[in-house]
């Protein structure tokens, strides 16, 4: 418990005759809740600032000449409050407000998505009169309007509580929706030029979207907190009734934030996902990717049965599990026992249990340390950093970041790469003016919403700043400061070394925030070439002995030589020096050179793919083994904090976890893996002894001189946008429609040299290929050019084969680029 | 009809004393007529003494609520290191009220002078005059007056060598009734949508840009120079003990000479009608508002009730903005209520439920009654709606909407019943046609 949570001052009051003591400043409505007195409310939300607009929560307070709103009134010593339970005045006031609210409400509960879980419906039952006296004409609107491709608004259902607009402004910082017009015509809307005599919508976009649609990564929360059925998602609208749904607690599989969720399903199909209420992690919020991005599981190319490559035809054909496992085992055995050996690439999306199974499988069934979870640009320095400074460490936590004296961000754009961490930082910024410093090439809207001080920094030169900038050191020297580094800092030579040294020097806490949900878990499970489970260095005899003891192995089975990382494994495959490759959730397009990765997959003699969908890996594999998606299995993720987020299967299907398949594969190889079911893996993980072995030493890589762009060149800056072409977002056009437009950003100086302005096509190229996008001129470090990593028209890895910090050519394009901002057309009204 | 000596004796031309002088709006003329003498006197005094003076004078806010002005000024925290602001509410929007506009047109410098003295008293260096959007003529005149005052050294740095510094900004609203509510006015002035703010915190500590702010009505501020010149005792010589001072009464309606009549507080309607040349021929007083549509209406039986804060409250109404609207036996109180509710519906800001929905509903019920399609239950519904609106809305403006309905039913229930029971011919034809969707729905049901 933090100091702020400790009640310092308490007052005693009476509510409905019950004496209660509560912290000073608490609102009547909250204190009443604690007594079990539920005062009806609409505009009130515990995480939003009080507004007192709906007037539904009126209570009678002694000494006040009129009833007051309990959602805005702080308690006072000796206060005597009477709610609707004991006061006729309060009861009548609440009933009157309810009657007012219902006169302009369509009462279309039988066709409304909210019916059955609707606060208006429920409170009309508890508080309203049975019959309405209203017999006149209701206000009506054409149904519905798009606030974005995803969020739809039925204005006649709205009770103008302003929860959605307040959320967008206060919490998300995306005030694209606002109450407009007045009196009974007051309505929530987006900015529409036609309201002010202009033309509807920008050219090329759907006019229904308005001139400035709700472009927010958190828009789904407005739907969840809407107390009526006014806001619905195009994804869920008219799909099911709440009372037909089965709700299962779950954990989001998208990023390292580890949000608690509630997955609602019906007849074996997920209908929607909602943010769970977890004050320690995501509070009550969720990002749109986490909320809406679940249809990839039911994509057309889902693999449901094992496949082996037919030696005659050379094509994949369906096979029985027994055959597929036998073929896979035989191929792996041959490779293992040959000189090349087997490499294992696990990707960053596995559960802790599955990652552990791969780690163990590689070590004792394949007898190799050639295992790496990093399916992205990486470095040896990063591996050393992870082993030394992250593995086995707890925290800092969300709460510690919220309470931090200062936060320094390096290699991380939290709104794009860890949205819930972004929300927590924004909360701290709004409530207590948290000082945020960010090393970045330009001030993104995310940094803007955090009020961050941006230290202009070309990709690759982070290390120099971390090592030498006095303002950073000063900020981090305050007690409670946190240095947050993203996985991208690993791409800056010396960056992570400098970060460790800076944290050491200033006493600041150090957090590493990867982008994917499974990275932290894979690190702890030992999916690294030089690290065994529990952060044990493979080179340490004591570490190997501890593990050999736990796994019941004879001495010498665990190889003491560090293995090869993802890059080296793929290079070996290309060179013909690798016997076989086991690949889990890896998309070659995520690796720094996508084409080179695919060439490696083509070159390796034997490829086993444990896959969900018919991916670029599965298509090349000799054996494809279908695995269960997150929703169909139990498991755990580790958040970036190192917090364990266990979950059970939402849907009971026959799909098997990676761990179970590896267990079967291992037994074909004559090895007992004991990862058959999740409880067994969890028990084994829990039983692993604490390690006594020395930690891996921290990296000490000197900053490399930043690349110097020649004329016509620039340094590439790039990161993923939250909503992009990621395979886990496949199948949701409405979500894709809320993505930020793909643009190439560059500074004023470079723009002047090129002679381009906003919207002009600019081509960014390398020896591999080129991308042409409309330009957006920003306040950017000179000679740096930014592209989204994996967005429509901006597939950097595949098209450029380059990572951040690389030199790219920049030129004015003669051809007009295909507009990337509107790449999805969605029918209005969400008729699907 | 010539007013009697007794009635004429009630006139106390203080704020209106220059109104008949040609070109009183020009600085030179204003200066010839005592203009800016109060400022010189005030700047020689300590600001706290000015606050005490206004407190002693008993001046109460002229915008409708009658809050003691000196007390309001005293709420401003001093030496708090924050900028202070004076905001003059010139958004005069209450139906029937028309005192501030002529004052700003004829005698703008008295407002500027009052604003300078007030700013000096509350230690504000920036004052805003928020003028209703429709009143472009008044805004122009004020702007001209500000320019004149600045040229003469009454505004700017080191005013009259006192070291006091002040700028006055004339801000035009966009013509919304709600922006006359002081916190909505502040939001509007800050560039936001004009909607009332949650209180506390009050403007005295967290007003404009979250800084200590005094919001006063035009007439209140324009009164200040006279108090400075005449002193508290002189001021208390007019009006009543608890409602001292002169007040501009806006008399309109069925009188022969509608206009502004400045009298000591406590004048009666009988005297005002006399001053206004009596009722028009063939018209007999039926009902009237003491201070605009938000104050419950009164009838002929209240002809001799003093128009001050206390007596009006005792009569079950409010002094409001002293917009005395006089209606005769040829005016229908139900129709008047309907038109007022139309106004409240049109002007409701939409923030809170009772005002937004209550007026929407009452407007339709009243129209139905006037169309001859009302029922006895409608009267109960109206009264109950008023009960659910009064004291339940976010700001006082919502409360105001209950006044015309409640008071008209109180005094003229029989007229309502005449419409319901068919003794009065309908004022409107059938109620407005149902929307297309409803028609389709009904047709569908018939099939």
């Amino acid at each position: 418990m933090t100091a702020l949570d400790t009640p310092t001052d308490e007052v005693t009051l009476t509510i409905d005759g019950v004496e209660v003591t509560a912290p000073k400043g608490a609102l009547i409505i909250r204190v009443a809740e604690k007594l079990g007195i539920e005062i009806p409310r609409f505009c009130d939300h515990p995480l939003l600032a009080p507004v007192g607009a709906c007037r539904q929560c009126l209570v009678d307070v002694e000494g006040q000449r009129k009833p007051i709103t309990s959602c805005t009134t702080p308690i006072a010593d000796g206060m005597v409050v009477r709610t609707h339970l004991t006061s006729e005045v309060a009861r009548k006031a609440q009933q009157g407000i309810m009657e007012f609210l219902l006169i302009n409400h369509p009462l279309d509960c039988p066709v409304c998505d909210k019916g059955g879980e609707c606060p208006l419906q429920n409170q009309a039952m508890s508080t309203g009169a049975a019959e309405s006296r209203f017999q006149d004409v209701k206000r009506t609107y054409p149904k519905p309007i798009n606030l974005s491709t995803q969020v739809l608004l039925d204005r006649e259902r709205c009770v103008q509580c302003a929860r959605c607009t307040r959320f967008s402004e206060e919490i998300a910082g995306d005030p694209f929706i606002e109450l407009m017009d007045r009196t009974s015509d007051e309505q929530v809307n987006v900015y529409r030029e036609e309201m002010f005599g202009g033309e509807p919508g920008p050219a090329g976009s759907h006019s229904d979207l308005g001139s400035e649609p709700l472009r927010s990564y958190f828009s789904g929360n407005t739907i969840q907190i809407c107390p009526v059925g006014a806001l619905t998602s195009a994804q869920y609208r008219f799909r099911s009734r709440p009372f037909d749904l089965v709700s299962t607690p779950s954990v989001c599989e998208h990023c390292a934030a580890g949000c608690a969720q509630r997955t609602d399903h019906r007849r074996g199909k997920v209908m929607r996902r909602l943010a769970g209420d977890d004050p320690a992690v995501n509070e009550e919020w969720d990002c749109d990717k986490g909320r809406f991005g679940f249809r990839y599981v039911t994509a057309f190319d889902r693999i449901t049965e094992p496949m082996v490559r037919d030696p005659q035809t050379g094509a994949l054909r369906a096979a029985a599990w027994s055959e597929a496992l036998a073929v896979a085992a035989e191929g792996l055995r041959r490779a293992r026992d040959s000189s090349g050996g087997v490499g294992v690439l696990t990707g960053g999306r596995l559960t802790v249990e599955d990652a552990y199974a791969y780690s163990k499988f590689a070590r004792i069934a394949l007898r190799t340390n050639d295992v790496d979870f990093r399916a992205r640009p990486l470095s040896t320095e990063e591996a050393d950093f992870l082993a030394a400074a992250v593995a086995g460490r707890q925290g800092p936590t969300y709460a510690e970041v919220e309470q931090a004296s200062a936060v320094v961000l390096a290699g991380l754009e939290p709104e794009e790469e860890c949205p819930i961490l972004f929300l927590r930082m924004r909360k701290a910024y709004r409530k207590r003016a948290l000082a945020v410093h960010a090393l970045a090439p330009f001030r993104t809207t995310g940094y803007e919403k955090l009020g961050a001080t941006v230290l202009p920094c070309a990709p690759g030169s982070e290390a120099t700043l971390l090592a030498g900038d006095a303002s950073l050191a000063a900020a981090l020297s305050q007690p409670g400061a946190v240095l947050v580094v993203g996985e991208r800092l690993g791409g800056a030579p010396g960056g992570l070394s400098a970060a460790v040294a800076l944290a050491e020097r200033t006493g600041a806490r150090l957090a590493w925030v990867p982008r994917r949900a499974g990275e932290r878990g894979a690190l702890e499970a030992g999916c690294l070439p030089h690290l065994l489970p529990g952060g044990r260095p493979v080179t340490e005899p004591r570490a190997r002995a501890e593990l050999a003891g736990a796994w019941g192995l004879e001495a010498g089975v665990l190889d003491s030589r560090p293995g090869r990382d993802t890059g080296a494994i793929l290079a070996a495959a290309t060179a013909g020096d690798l016997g076989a490759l086991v690949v889990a959730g890896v998309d070659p397009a995520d690796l720094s050179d996508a084409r080179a990765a695919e060439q490696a997959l083509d070159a390796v003699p034997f490829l086993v793919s444990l896959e969900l969908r018919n991916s670029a890996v599965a298509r090349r594999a000799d054996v494809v083994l279908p695995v269960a998606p997150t929703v169909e299995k139990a498991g755990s993720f580790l958040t970036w904090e190192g917090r364990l987020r266990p979950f059970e299967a939402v849907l009971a299907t026959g799909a098997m976890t990676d761990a179970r398949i590896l267990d079967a594969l291992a037994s074909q190889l004559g090895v007992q893996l004991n990862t058959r079911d999740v409880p067994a893996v969890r028990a084994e993980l829990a039983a692993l002894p604490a390690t006594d072995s020395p930690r891996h030493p921290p990296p000490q890589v000197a900053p490399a001189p930043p690349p110097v762009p020649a004329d016509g060149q620039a340094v590439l800056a790039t990161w993923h946008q939250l909503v992009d072409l990621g395979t886990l977002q496949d199948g949701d056009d409405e979500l894709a429609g809320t993505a930020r437009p793909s643009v190439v950003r560059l500074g004023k100086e470079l723009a002047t040299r090129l002679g381009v302005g906003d919207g002009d096509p600019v081509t960014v190229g390398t020896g591999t290929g080129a991308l042409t996008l409309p330009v957006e001129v920003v306040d950017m470090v000179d000679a740096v050019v930014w592209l989204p990593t994996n967005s429509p028209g901006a597939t950097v890895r595949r098209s450029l084969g380059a990572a951040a910090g690389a030199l790219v050519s920049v030129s004015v394009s003669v051809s007009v680029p295909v507009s990337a901002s509107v790449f999805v057309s969605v029918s209005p009204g969400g008729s699907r | 009809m010539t007013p009697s000596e007794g009635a004429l004796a009630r006139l106390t031309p203080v704020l209106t004393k220059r109104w008949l002088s040609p070109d009183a709006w020009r600085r030179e003329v204003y200066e010839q007529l005592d203009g800016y003498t109060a400022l010189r006197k005030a700047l020689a005094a300590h600001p706290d003494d000015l606050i005490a003076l206004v407190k002693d004078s008993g001046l109460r806010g002229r915008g409708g609520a009658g809050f003691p002005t000196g007390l309001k000024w005293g709420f401003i925290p001093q030496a708090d290191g924050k900028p202070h602001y004076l905001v003059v509410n010139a958004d005069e929007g209450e139906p029937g009220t028309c005192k501030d506009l002529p004052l700003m047109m004829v005698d703008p410098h008295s407002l500027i002078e009052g604003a300078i003295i007030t700013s000096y008293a509350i230690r504000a260096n920036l004052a805003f005059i928020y003028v209703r959007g429709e009143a472009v003529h008044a805004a122009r005149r004020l702007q001209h007056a500000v320019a004149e005052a600045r040229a003469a050294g009454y505004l700017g740095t080191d005013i009259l060598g006192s070291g006091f510094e002040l700028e006055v900004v004339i801000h035009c609203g966009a013509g919304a009734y709600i922006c006359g509510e002081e916190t909505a006015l502040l939001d509007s002035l800050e560039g936001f949508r004009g909607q009332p703010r949650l209180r506390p915190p009050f403007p005295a500590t967290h007003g404009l840009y979250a800084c200590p702010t005094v919001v006063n009505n035009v007439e209140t501020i324009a009164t200040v120079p006279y108090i400075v010149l005449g002193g508290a005792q002189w001021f208390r010589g007019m009006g009543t003990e608890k409602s001292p001072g002169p007040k501009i009464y806006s008399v309109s309606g069925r009188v022969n000479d509608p206009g502004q009549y400045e009298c000591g507080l406590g004048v009666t309607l009988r005297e005002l009608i006399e001053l206004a040349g009596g009722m028009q021929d063939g018209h007999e007083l039926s009902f009237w508002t003491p201070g605009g549509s938000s104050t419950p209406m009164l009838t002929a039986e209240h002809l001799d009730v003093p128009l001050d804060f206390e007596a009006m409250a005792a009569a079950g109404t409010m002094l409001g903005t002293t917009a005395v609207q006089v209606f005769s036996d040829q005016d229908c109180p139900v129709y008047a209520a309907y038109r007022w509710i139309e106004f409240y519906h049109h002007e409701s800001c939409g923030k809170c439920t009772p005002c937004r929905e209550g007026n929407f509903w009452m407007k339709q019920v009243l129209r139905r009654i006037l169309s001859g399609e009302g029922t006895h239950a409608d009267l109960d519904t109206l009264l109950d709606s008023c009960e659910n609106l009064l004291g339940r809305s976010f700001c006082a403006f919502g409360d105001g909407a209950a006044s015309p309905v409640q008071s008209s039913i109180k005094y003229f229930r029989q007229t309502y019943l005449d419409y319901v029971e068919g003794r009065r011919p309908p004022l409107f034809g059938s109620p407005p046609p149902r929307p297309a969707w409803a028609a389709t729905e009904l047709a569908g049901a018939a099939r």
Side-chain angles (χ1 to χ4, degrees), chain A residues 780-794:
Chain A
M780 172 97 75
V781 180
D782 191 24
V784 173
V785 61
W786 181 90
L787 284 171
T789 303
N790 190 28
S791 290

Side-chain angles (χ1 to χ4, degrees), chain A residues 50-56 58 65-69 72 74 89 92-93 95-104 132-141 158-161 178-187, chain B residues 175-178 193 195 198 344-361 364-365 368 373 375 378 380-381 384-396 399 432-435 437:
Chain A
V51 60
C54 78
R55 319 301 289 173
Q56 186 59 60
L58 291 167
R65 62 188 171 86
K66 49 190 189 182
I68 57 162
T69 44
T72 61
V89 171
K92 169 102 172 44
Q95 192 172 339
I97 299 294
M98 181 59 75
E99 186 178 28
F100 282 146
L101 280 173
L102 293 179
I103 66 168
N104 264 328
S132 173
R133 292 178 289 180
F134 182 76
Q135 46 172 295
D136 300 278
V137 181
K138 285 178 192 271
R139 167 209 63 188
T140 51
Y141 291 107
C158 177
V159 292
Q160 285 96 336
C161 72
E178 187 47 281
L179 283 161
M180 295 177 189
D181 222 323
R182 64 186 184 195
T183 187
S184 48
D185 294 333
E186 189 187 45
Q187 55 184 279
Chain B
Y177 178 59
I178 189 59
R193 178 180 166 78
Q195 284 198 331
L198 202 57
Y344 286 106
H345 172 244
H346 184 263
E347 292 294 339
S348 169
C349 80
K351 179 166 185 157
C352 76
T353 308
C355 175
R356 183 183 67 234
E357 307 295 343
N359 287 311
F360 173 85
W361 188 6
Q364 294 196 49
V365 174
R368 205 147 35 74
E373 303 197 7
T375 63
D378 281 339
D380 298 332
T381 303
D384 197 47
S385 295
C386 288
E387 219 175 287
N388 291 333
L389 173 53
L390 187 65
R392 291 3 174 204
S393 57
F394 190 93
C395 75
D399 292 350
R434 295 174 75 82
W437 64 264

Side-chain angles (χ1 to χ4, degrees), chain B residues 286-311:
Chain B
S286 170
F287 59 99
W288 57 287
T289 66
S293 59
S294 300
T295 57
M297 61 171 70
L298 296 172
T299 63
E301 63 181 281
H302 304 100
L303 264 170
D304 295 311
V305 182
L307 277 154
D308 61 41
F309 291 105
E310 288 70 33

Side-chain angles (χ1 to χ4, degrees), chain A residues 528-755:
Chain A
L528 273 181
H530 65 328
L531 213 58
L532 297 168
R536 295 172 168 85
V538 292
T539 48
E540 289 293 335
R542 201 182 313 162
R544 291 198 305 279
E546 281 169 2
L547 210 58
W551 285 350
L553 302 177
E554 289 163 25
V557 175
L558 292 175
D559 197 336
S560 64
R561 293 164 302 170
R564 292 173 282 196
D565 66 14
T566 303
I569 290 169
L570 291 174
T574 312
D577 295 339
L578 195 70
L581 200 50
V582 177
V583 182
V586 174
D587 184 348
D590 287 337
L591 299 164
S592 47
D593 190 336
R595 289 189 212 173
E598 284 168 4
Q599 281 160 16
L601 294 174
D602 286 334
V604 74
F606 190 70
L607 178 61
V608 178
S609 169
L610 287 87
E611 249 313 355
L612 192 60
R613 291 166 54 194
N614 199 2
S615 69
V617 179
R619 284 196 294 276
R620 292 173 164 84
D622 296 285
V623 180
V624 181
L625 303 170
V627 296
T630 315
V631 69
E632 295 174 24
K633 67 184 177 189
S636 322
F637 290 121
L638 280 178
T639 68
W640 59 269
E641 318 156 85
R643 184 193 302 267
L644 191 67
R645 307 291 279 166
F647 57 88
E648 297 307 311
V650 170
L651 302 177
T653 65
M656 290 190 280
T657 63
D658 296 59
R660 181 167 186 179
I661 295 166
L662 291 176
D663 181 82
L665 202 50
S667 59
Q668 296 268 335
L669 291 165
V671 173
Q672 279 284 333
L673 211 55
N674 292 328
T675 59
R676 209 180 132 67
D677 56 38
V678 171
V681 181
R682 286 177 179 168
E684 189 171 315
L685 277 167
L688 279 184
T691 179
D692 283 333
S693 83
R695 288 187 77 86
H696 194 86
Q700 287 181 331
V701 176
V708 182
D711 209 27
Q713 278 190 325
V715 180
L716 176 67
T718 181
W719 54 77
H720 286 82
Q721 301 198 128
L722 184 73
V723 177
D724 65 2
L725 297 177
T727 48
L728 264 52
Q729 298 165 62
D730 283 352
D732 205 305
D733 292 352
E734 292 94 355
L735 174 63
T738 65
R740 293 180 176 168
S742 302
V743 291
V744 46
R745 294 198 170 94
L746 39 81
K748 295 184 183 75
E749 300 89 345
L750 185 52
T752 311
R753 286 203 294 279
L754 290 171

Side-chain angles (χ1 to χ4, degrees), chain B residues 22-373:
Chain B
D23 290 348
W25 52 273
R26 289 173 49 208
R27 180 175 58 84
E28 309 89 83
V29 181
Y30 180 71
E31 283 170 341
Q32 282 160 20
L33 300 169
D34 297 343
Y36 289 113
T37 47
L39 175 62
R40 289 170 206 279
K41 191 174 168 190
L43 289 176
H46 190 273
D48 287 345
D49 295 339
L50 289 172
I51 296 178
L53 172 71
V54 173
K55 266 185 195 161
D56 290 346
S57 75
L59 173 64
R60 296 175 65 170
R62 301 318 198 200
F67 192 83
T69 305
L71 197 59
K72 195 182 238 185
W73 294 4
F75 287 152
I76 298 292
Q78 294 304 341
D80 57 342
K82 283 183 175 180
H84 297 177
Y85 299 108
L86 169 69
V87 176
V88 180
N89 185 344
D91 191 64
E92 188 170 55
E94 177 74 9
T97 312
C98 47
K99 61 189 177 63
D100 297 340
L101 273 182
L103 190 148
M104 291 186 288
M105 284 304 289
V106 179
D107 199 9
H109 280 285
S110 68
L111 177 59
I112 307 288
E113 186 177 2
I116 304 169
I117 297 171
T118 307
S119 300
Y120 175 68
I122 64 165
R123 284 84 155 174
N125 299 112
L126 188 53
F128 294 87
I129 302 177
Y130 185 100
V131 186
R132 187 170 147 208
E134 291 92 332
V136 182
H137 49 313
R140 283 189 183 143
R141 189 144 284 184
L142 282 172
Q143 254 153 3
H144 181 261
V146 166
E148 279 188 323
R150 189 183 288 109
Y154 299 128
L155 289 174
T157 53
D158 194 18
I159 295 169
L160 301 178
S162 65
F164 178 60
E165 176 183 347
L166 180 72
E167 285 301 333
V168 173
V169 176
I170 310 299
H171 180 96
C172 285
Y177 178 59
I178 189 59
C179 291
E181 200 282 339
E182 62 174 7
T183 57
L185 184 152
L186 293 177
D187 261 15
S188 170
L189 192 53
E190 286 183 19
F192 295 105
R193 178 180 166 78
Q195 284 198 331
R197 294 178 182 173
L198 202 57
R199 275 173 293 196
F202 291 93
T205 55
H206 293 76
L208 190 65
Y209 306 115
C211 290
T213 303
V214 162
V215 186
N216 272 143
N217 173 257
V218 169
E219 192 184 350
T220 315
I221 294 297
T223 306
V224 171
Y226 303 104
I227 296 176
V228 170
L229 279 181
Q233 282 318 306
W234 164 81
F235 190 75
R236 284 186 172 278
M238 288 166 281
T240 66
E241 190 200 338
K242 288 184 173 166
S243 303
K247 181 82 189 70
I248 306 175
Y249 291 86
S250 313
V251 183
S252 63
R254 304 289 195 180
V255 292
N256 282 315
D257 298 317
Q260 315 305 316
Y261 293 89
E262 189 178 11
C263 304
L265 279 161
V267 69
T268 64
L269 179 71
R270 189 185 300 280
E271 290 159 338
L272 281 174
I273 290 179
E274 208 179 310
L275 286 170
M279 294 294 291
Q280 288 173 9
D281 275 353
H283 289 269
E284 201 173 312
L285 176 69
S286 170
F287 59 99
W288 57 287
T289 66
S293 59
S294 300
T295 57
M297 61 171 70
L298 296 172
T299 63
E301 63 181 281
H302 304 100
L303 264 170
D304 295 311
V305 182
L307 277 154
D308 61 41
F309 291 105
E310 288 70 33
M312 282 297 114
T317 180
M318 292 169 286
L319 185 63
T321 57
T322 59
V324 178
Q325 302 174 91
V326 179
F327 296 84
S328 77
D329 54 348
Q330 294 182 36
D331 301 311
C332 170
V334 184
Y335 182 67
Y338 168 70
R339 291 288 286 121
W340 276 322
I341 292 303
E342 263 198 329
F343 171 83
Y344 286 106
H345 172 244
H346 184 263
E347 292 294 339
S348 169
C349 80
K351 179 166 185 157
C352 76
T353 308
C355 175
R356 183 183 67 234
E357 307 295 343
N359 287 311
F360 173 85
W361 188 6
M362 291 200 294
K363 178 179 139 187
Q364 294 196 49
V365 174
L366 284 165
R367 184 166 178 114
R368 205 147 35 74
I369 291 172
L370 288 168
S371 306
E373 303 197 7

